[in-house]
Amino acid sequence: MIYSHEVENMCTVAKGPKNGPAPIPVEGKWVKAYDVKDISGLTHGVGWCAPQQGACKLTLNVKDGIIEEALVETVGCSGMTHSAAMASELLPGKTILEALNTDLVCDAINVAMRELFLQIAYGRTQTAFSEGGLPIGAGLEDLGKGLRSQVGTMYGTKAKGTRYLEMAEGYVTQMGLDENDEVIGYKFVHLGKMMEFVAKGKSANEAMEDATSQYGRFDDAVKFIDPRHE
C-alpha cells in the first residue's frame, strides 16, 4: 500500500473501542455483518427499465450470503422474458455481491437486484424476524395455483368505460353488467388449472369448462359482454 508523503509524516493517534457494525435482524437473530456470508433472508424487490416500458418483480432466498432460489416475474416488455430466463439461471449460486455486479441484460431486472441488495444488506427482509427463515422453494408460494404469476390487466377509456382483461383469479372471458351498465361481476378461466387438467388428459374444452368460475353478482347481470371484443 502506498501512502502520500504527508500521511507518512503524520504521528499515530490511537483508535478507540472497536464497536463494529450495528446489528441487523437476520432470520430471527441479531447479526453484526462483517462479510457477505453473514447475510441470509428471503425478500422481494421491484425494478423498472430506463424508458419505464416494463417492470420486474424479483424474489431471492439467500442463505449464508448465497442466492439459493430466485423467482423472476416480468411485465410490459416481451424481451424481458428472455432476460428473465437468463437471470433465473445466473442468479442461483452467486453471492449477493456477485449478483449485484452481474449484468442481467434487462435494466428492470438489474434495478430489482439493486433494490433487493439494499434490503438484504440492511436486514430489511421479509424473514428478518422469522427464526431459520424460509425453506428453499418458498419463492414459489408467490405464484397462484398452476404456478402462474398473479397478474391484473385492466383497460379503460372515458368514452367506453372499463374492461377487465385479467384478474388474479384468471383470464376474464365475460363481464356482467346491471341495468345501469355498471359492472357487478365477471367470469374467468384459471389458466394454470386449465393447463394442469390438460396435462392430466382432459380435452381442452373440458379442461376449460372445469377451470371456469365467476366472481361477484355475475348471475344477476342483465347484460354480458366480452371485454376484448365488445
Side-chain angles (χ1 to χ4, degrees):
M1 188 176 299
I2 300 174
Y3 294 93
S4 69
H5 177 70
E6 290 79 7
V7 172
E8 282 187 336
N9 289 329
M10 289 179 180
C11 64
T12 300
V13 177
K15 193 175 183 178
K18 184 180 180 182
N19 297 319
I24 61 173
V26 175
E27 296 191 340
K29 299 179 293 184
W30 288 99
V31 172
K32 288 189 174 184
Y34 289 93
D35 204 335
V36 172
K37 66 178 182 296
D38 297 325
I39 303 294
S40 295
L42 180 142
T43 195
H44 319 274
V46 175
W48 52 94
C49 61
Q52 298 185 354
Q53 179 178 333
C56 168
K57 177 192 172 192
L58 180 62
T59 302
L60 298 181
N61 198 349
V62 178
K63 300 292 184 184
D64 300 323
I66 304 294
I67 296 170
E68 297 288 349
E69 175 184 18
L71 172 65
V72 191
E73 299 175 85
T74 63
V75 63
C77 172
S78 59
M80 292 172 65
T81 60
H82 297 80
S83 297
M86 184 185 73
S88 69
E89 184 175 350
L90 288 177
L91 289 172
K94 289 183 180 290
T95 69
I96 56 173
L97 185 58
E98 285 179 298
L100 180 67
N101 289 287
T102 295
D103 182 8
L104 301 172
V105 179
C106 171
D107 281 350
I109 304 175
N110 284 324
V111 171
M113 183 61 231
R114 181 194 71 194
E115 296 301 307
L116 257 74
F117 181 87
L118 294 174
Q119 293 179 42
I120 296 167
Y122 286 112
R124 270 60 171 181
T125 65
Q126 180 180 317
T127 55
F129 298 101
S130 301
E131 187 174 350
L134 290 173
I136 311 306
L140 290 178
E141 294 177 8
D142 278 3
L143 305 178
K145 292 182 179 179
L147 298 184
R148 279 178 53 85
S149 295
Q150 299 185 60
V151 177
T153 307
M154 314 299 157
Y155 177 74
T157 60
K158 180 181 177 181
K160 300 297 182 179
T162 186
R163 296 295 187 274
Y164 298 174
L165 302 177
E166 187 150 356
M167 291 284 191
E169 298 96 332
Y171 181 95
V172 178
T173 57
Q174 282 187 307
M175 294 169 58
L177 310 181
D178 64 10
E179 60 276 4
N180 299 317
D181 285 337
E182 295 179 355
V183 183
I184 60 173
Y186 53 88
K187 181 179 285 188
F188 61 90
V189 178
H190 194 304
L191 295 179
K193 287 183 179 180
M194 177 181 168
M195 295 309 299
E196 287 185 344
F197 291 148
V198 170
K200 291 177 181 178
K202 288 187 177 182
S203 68
N205 289 338
E206 185 181 8
M208 182 173 175
E209 183 177 345
D210 289 347
T212 296
S213 188
Q214 61 191 51
Y215 184 84
R217 295 185 292 117
F218 187 79
D219 289 333
D220 297 332
V222 299
K223 183 178 180 181
F224 302 95
I225 66 169
D226 181 332
R228 291 170 177 78
H229 301 290
E230 294 182 76

